[in-house]
């Protein structure tokens, strides 16, 4: 980043830091004279066990513990920790004694979900990988077809081919009848156009690997009044349980239980959609761009 970013009077927002990046940021800030430090908001998007290669970090908690201890002279003065949701904030409070405030994902300005139809369309969007449950989709959809579900499925295919389970799932999906596949990355306009045709969003995220992380797709779906199908042990499921979102939760984590949850939503879709639409306005307000900016301004230099 340009050197003049790191100056007193500036507010710097840094999302998505991993363990070593957080440690490096704190050492960098401590090396600067106090009078020349900017205010920094560090958004903790991942649990301490998260890694970019999809395996739990064995030393992640210890790395975070050292980072927070090192950051004590900065916390609450020029360094502020935040999370996307309360569940992840509680994790950092419990594990490390860090008081992480909420910085909402500013995706609440979402167009309304698709109008009610006799045959709802279920969608899966985002990066196709195991920790998002992509590998569960072929068998789950086949189970639904065998059960006679009156529904459509739209699945985005977007991955780099490095996960064997993801590659196998893509091959299997291409053989499942009645599945519409969207291939590759979507720009903002295409994403909005495609998701606006989705009635129910599938969020079969792995509770062990994805956990309580936030999700822009979750936020946009709830703000649009769209029911969800979510796995127990994730933030999406916790939001359904708390009455902040509408949908079905499945557990244990496998394709059979995912398909059962899809069938439950399909069987009561009009009622589920009606409840999701009622919850949408308040949720959208709390996750709007205005709400995001209000939090930032409250921490800006005076």
């Amino acid at each position: 980043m340009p050197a003049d970013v790191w100056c007193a009077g500036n507010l710097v927002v840094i999302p998505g830091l991993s363990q070593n990046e957080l440690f490096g940021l704190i050492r960098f800030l401590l090396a600067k004279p106090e009078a020349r430090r900017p205010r920094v908001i560090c958004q903790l998007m991942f649990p301490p066990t998260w890694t970019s290669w999809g395996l739990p970090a064995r030393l992640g908690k210890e790395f975070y513990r050292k980072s927070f201890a090192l950051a004590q002279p900065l916390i609450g003065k020029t360094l502020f920790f935040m999370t996307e949701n309360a569940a992840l904030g509680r994790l950092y409070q419990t594990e490390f004694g860090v008081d992480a405030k909420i910085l909402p994902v500013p995706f609440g300005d979402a167009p309304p979900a698709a109008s009610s139809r006799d045959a709802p369309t279920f969608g899966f969007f985002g990066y196709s990988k195991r920790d998002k449950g992509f590998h569960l989709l072929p068998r789950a959809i086949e189970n639904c077809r065998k059960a006679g579900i009156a529904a459509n499925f739209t699945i985005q295919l977007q991955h780099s081919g490095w996960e064997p389970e993801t590659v196998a799932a893509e091959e299997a999906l291409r053989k499942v009848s009645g599945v519409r596949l969207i291939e590759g990355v979507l720009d903002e306009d295409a994403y909005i156009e495609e998701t606006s045709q989705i009635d129910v969003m599938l969020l079969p995220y792995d509770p062990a690997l994805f956990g309580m992380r936030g999700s822009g797709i979750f936020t946009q779906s709830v703000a649009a009044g769209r029911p969800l199908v979510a796995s127990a042990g994730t933030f999406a499921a916790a939001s359904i349980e708390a009455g902040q979102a509408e949908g079905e939760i499945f557990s244990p984590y496998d394709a059979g239980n995912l398909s059962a949850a899809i069938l439950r939503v399909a069987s009561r879709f009009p009622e589920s959609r009606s409840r999701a639409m009622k919850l949408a306005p308040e949720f959208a307000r709390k996750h709007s761009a205005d709400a995001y900016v209000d939090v930032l301004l409250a921490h800006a230099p005076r």
Side-chain angles (χ1 to χ4, degrees):
M1 297 177 71
D4 59 359
V5 168
W6 302 98
C7 298
N10 288 350
L11 177 66
V12 181
V13 183
I14 307 179
L17 293 183
S18 57
Q19 297 95 328
N20 60 317
E21 292 166 336
L22 175 61
F23 194 71
L25 169 67
I26 293 167
R27 292 180 64 190
F28 171 76
L29 292 174
L30 287 170
K32 293 184 70 67
E34 184 174 356
R36 294 171 54 191
R37 292 172 190 154
R39 287 194 166 205
V40 177
I41 291 177
C42 183
Q43 190 169 30
L44 302 168
M45 296 178 67
F46 307 114
T49 55
W50 181 85
T51 65
S52 60
W53 53 90
L55 295 175
R58 292 183 294 108
L59 303 178
K61 289 185 179 181
E62 184 59 28
F63 219 140
Y64 273 97
R65 193 165 284 111
K66 290 180 179 179
S67 296
F68 292 134
L70 189 65
Q72 283 305 313
L74 305 173
I75 295 175
K77 298 176 183 177
T78 56
L79 179 61
F80 306 89
F81 290 109
M82 297 190 178
T83 61
E84 297 178 14
N85 60 67
L88 200 55
R90 284 193 297 271
L91 185 153
Y92 279 96
Q93 175 66 55
T94 301
E95 290 283 347
F96 310 107
V98 171
D99 183 17
K101 306 297 185 184
I102 303 299
L103 181 61
V105 179
F107 294 149
D109 301 320
S115 58
S116 181
R117 295 187 285 259
D118 291 336
T121 297
F122 291 79
F124 178 96
F125 285 78
Y127 198 73
S128 312
K129 56 181 179 179
R130 192 196 185 288
D131 71 357
K132 291 192 172 183
F134 183 78
H135 63 297
L136 301 181
L137 295 176
R139 184 183 160 203
I141 295 173
E142 287 182 332
N143 288 347
C144 290
R145 292 294 185 217
K146 290 177 182 178
I149 190 174
N152 303 302
F153 293 88
T154 297
I155 309 296
Q156 182 181 10
L157 299 176
Q158 180 199 347
H159 64 93
S160 53
W162 65 273
E163 276 188 326
E165 286 179 292
T166 297
V167 173
E170 177 186 339
E171 293 175 355
L173 280 171
R174 293 187 182 279
K175 299 174 184 177
V176 179
S177 62
V179 176
R180 177 172 172 262
L181 300 176
I182 302 171
E183 303 198 36
V185 178
L186 296 172
D187 62 24
E188 182 179 2
D189 290 339
Y191 175 83
I192 292 173
E193 180 181 355
E194 291 291 352
T195 55
S196 68
Q197 303 305 310
I198 301 301
D199 295 292
V200 182
M201 191 64 74
L202 301 177
L203 302 175
Y205 299 166
D206 189 315
L209 298 177
F210 199 90
M212 288 295 176
R213 284 164 53 189
S215 161
I217 297 173
F218 160 82
T219 300
Q220 289 177 314
S221 294
V222 179
R226 187 174 293 119
L228 314 170
V229 174
S231 45
T234 62
F235 177 63
S239 299
I240 294 172
E241 291 172 331
Q244 299 165 349
E246 162 61 18
E248 287 287 340
I249 300 169
F250 71 95
S251 180
Y253 186 71
D254 59 34
N257 287 297
L258 171 57
S259 58
I262 294 172
L263 290 168
R264 291 197 298 272
V265 172
S267 69
R268 63 178 189 91
F269 174 65
E271 171 196 342
S272 185
R273 182 180 186 278
S274 177
R275 174 168 168 74
M277 293 298 291
K278 290 178 181 177
L279 293 172
E282 177 64 12
F283 183 91
R285 184 186 66 78
K286 292 180 178 179
H287 294 80
S288 66
D290 286 344
Y292 178 83
V293 171
D294 285 345
V295 174
L296 298 186
L297 290 177
H299 292 79
R302 296 291 190 268

